[in-house]
C-alpha cells in the first residue's frame, strides 16, 4: 500500500532512522537493514493493514570488531575454524545417535 502525507510521516516514525524515507510525498523503504525489528507499526491499524513485516530466517549480518591487535579478517578466519570444529563434533554425535 502506498502511504502519503501524514500517513507517510507516521509510518516513518514507526521505524529506526533511515529505514523509511519520504520521496515525492510517498513513503519508501530506503534501507531495511537498519530496522531493529520493531513492531511499532502494528500498533496502528491504519498502517498495519498496508505493511508486511518479514524476516529472512537464513540471512545474517555479522560485525567484527577488533582492538587492532588482530586483523578483523583474521578474527573471522579463526572464528570459522572454531565453528567448523563445533559442527564436526555435533555431526559425529548425530551419526552415533542415528546408527
Amino acid at each position: 500500500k502506498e502511504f502519503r502525507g501524514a500517513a507517510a510521516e507516521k509510518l516513518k516514525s514507526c521505524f529506526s532512522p533511515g529505514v523509511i524515507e519520504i520521496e515525492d510525498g510517498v513513503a519508501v523503504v530506503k534501507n531495511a537493514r537498519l530496522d531493529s525489528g520493531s513492531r511499532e507499526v502494528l500498533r496502528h491499524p491504519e498502517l498495519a493493514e498496508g505493511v508486511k513485516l518479514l524476516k529472512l530466517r537464513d540471512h545474517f549480518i555479522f560485525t567484527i570488531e577488533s582492538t587492532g591487535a588482530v586483523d578483523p579478517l583474521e578474527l573471522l578466519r579463526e572464528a570459522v575454524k572454531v565453528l567448523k570444529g563445533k559442527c564436526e563434533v555435533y555431526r559425529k554425535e548425530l551419526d552415533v545417535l542415528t546408527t
Side-chain angles (χ1 to χ4, degrees):
K1 181 177 177 181
E2 192 173 90
F3 294 97
R4 295 182 168 275
E9 290 295 335
K10 191 172 189 178
L11 181 68
K12 181 179 176 180
S13 72
C14 290
F15 292 91
S16 300
V19 175
I20 305 290
E21 295 295 331
I22 311 296
E23 292 182 357
D24 299 323
V26 178
V28 294
V29 177
K30 267 307 206 191
N31 190 345
R33 289 184 174 182
L34 295 176
D35 185 36
S36 62
S38 171
R39 309 201 49 86
E40 175 67 19
V41 70
L42 300 179
R43 295 180 62 217
H44 306 281
E46 70 279 12
L47 299 176
E49 66 186 25
V51 174
K52 188 173 186 179
L53 300 177
L54 302 170
K55 280 190 177 186
L56 299 175
R57 299 277 181 211
D58 62 348
H59 181 81
F60 303 93
I61 298 174
F62 295 94
T63 301
I64 300 172
E65 295 182 16
S66 173
T67 59
V70 180
D71 181 65
L73 186 55
E74 186 58 32
L75 282 175
L76 175 64
R77 287 183 183 124
E78 290 302 316
V80 169
K81 286 179 192 175
V82 170
L83 184 59
K84 281 182 175 180
K86 289 182 178 188
C87 288
E88 187 62 31
V89 168
Y90 291 129
R91 195 174 76 174
K92 286 178 182 177
E93 295 221 5
L94 284 172
D95 287 345
V96 169
L97 290 174
T98 58
T99 56

